[in-house]
Amino acid sequence: MKTLLTIAWRNIWRHPARSGVLIAAVVAGLWAGVVTVGVLNGMMDQRLNNLIESELTHIQVHHPEFLDEGYSRLFIEKVDEIAAFLKQDERVKAFTKRTITDGMLQSPVKTSGVRIRGIDSESETRTTNFHTNMMEGEYLDSSIPNAVIIGRTMANEHNMELGHRVVLTFEDVSNQLTSSAFNIVGIFESAGTDFDRRNVFVRSSDISSILYDKAVFHEIAIMLHDEPFAQSLAADINQNFSGITAQTWRELSPELNLIVEFGEVMLYLIMLIIMAALAFGILNTMLMALFERMREIGMLISIGMSRTRVFLMIMLEAIVLTLTGAAAGILLAIFSIRYLSSAGVNLERFAAGIAELGWDHMIYPIMSTPEYVTVVIMVIVITLLASLYPAAKAIRINPLEAAKDS
Amino acid sequence: MIIVETKNLSKVYNPDTVPVHALRDVNITIEKGEFTSIVGPSGSGKTTLLNMLGGLDKPTSGEVMVNGEKITGMKDSRLIDFRLKNIGFVFQHYNLIPVFTARENVSFIMLLQNRDKNEMMKRTDALLEQVGLGDRKDARPKEMSGGQQQRVAVARALASEPKFILADEPTANLDSNSAMNLLDIMERMNREEGVTFIFSTHDQRVIDRARRVIKMVDGAIAEDTLISVEAANQ
């Protein structure tokens, strides 16, 4: 095997330019592929974390009909019992209760449909990182009555700023329309402009007192220490309490789940496209090498080299050639991703469009070790497949080729 | 002791279209230690006969026995192994592995035989010394003259300790001095170590050194002449 490897390595450098071009193509292809996948991974991971950590959380509990109907009267009855259950469960990192209703926001400029989210800023801060999106003002933690925080997009559209007043109109639990004036105490800017346009935050106690004569909550948002426990905890909550539905983020946001699954497929898709191009490069190079060495291979078979060894020699040559480029390409990609994961890829030029879709404009690429291993395995498999034909052709060479003139 | 024997060996190319009779009922025996030239004009069948003796080509009919073993009809993989252990080849175009040094080219065949590494290196160095290339061990083929390359090829053929060596037009691409030098080496190997050589050639310098000349015409043996050692040396 050592000798075959030696032959393979030296044969590669018989035509340094030709092998160099293929190696450069492998390096460039793998580097581009891995970095692209890393950027996509980063985008998806950030999108996922943004949504889960800033608002969605791992599990949400609602009245079974609340998400479909959206009526204020569909609040959670056994909030205190559920809260007590969650407090003693070790899987739970933090949780917060929210009062939610849909309504209208009126300003002197215009009227917009909004989701009014009543939160407790203290428990919300323990559970989510939405407070990090605050750009101006405060996060509902002062004593200003009927405080509201609105998104930057909405503030711009309504020409409003801190200290301005808006009127929120919504249905109470008995389906009666009710209105109240709220003071803008803060302006936030999340990753998605659409979210900023459609959501306002008020104190849960403020909105709850208007909705009903006691505190009502429509949502309990739960953050876990480890995401994989989401399914089991949601099942436990559903088993222990009636009249509610606990759902994981995957069930609550199927499009987010789709993004995660799509991200996993993307790795294979992008790499497969690159590998397909690579396969033709390997095939072409190996066939050229083979046609040039018909007489030499004929000689090897004549003097007693078995066809199995000839087959291995050609396969090894392709593998050594490709893996040389693959090793360099992946090393380059590792360094690039390591650098970019801290420096970030700045897509500011496309920030407006990206923000509409809810993505950050600074992307921090990530690639996991298993993904690198997958890429290496794909390279090896593709190389083996691409070199099968030249190797199969080599073992069919007639030893009489050795005696031919050219 | 008979090393090679053919019985009614025939080869017909294109039997279904335009048949070409390359060999017609060739019956020869080669004894151990012979220094034999197969001669004849182009197309007379000498290379075809050599290929049959080496198991590189299959006859249409008849058989080839090497060291008492019938190689015609032998399975390809077994035949390759048989060649590795029993037959040495020297080609007209040297056919060295270009990416290997002289030493690696010679030792390669012993690697295929899975020989002990120390023994292999000793034998390689000794053979290169014998062919006068002791100081060119680390040279690659492109760094050597044609004559030197062919001497490496002879060393390679001897390395596997074959029963006999087949040399197809070994001097055809060599200048006169290189050719004479190569023939000296092969003759010495034959004389001192009893190595059996079978050449196909139409080079008179080779024919003059042979101790048996088999002349072929139209695929058949026209003459088979034994020459005394004294006559060959004159």
Side-chain angles (χ1 to χ4, degrees), chain A residues 72-73 101 170-178 210-212:
Chain A
S72 303
R73 61 183 157 79
T101 185
F170 46 89
E171 279 186 357
D172 64 14
V173 294
S174 53
N175 296 343
Q176 297 298 311
L177 269 183
T178 180
I210 303 168
L211 285 173
Y212 200 34

Side-chain angles (χ1 to χ4, degrees), chain B residues 184-195:
Chain B
D184 286 344
I185 290 165
M186 291 195 285
E187 202 171 30
R188 194 177 70 238
M189 297 284 182
N190 172 259
R191 195 174 55 244
E192 292 174 3
E193 298 184 22
V195 180

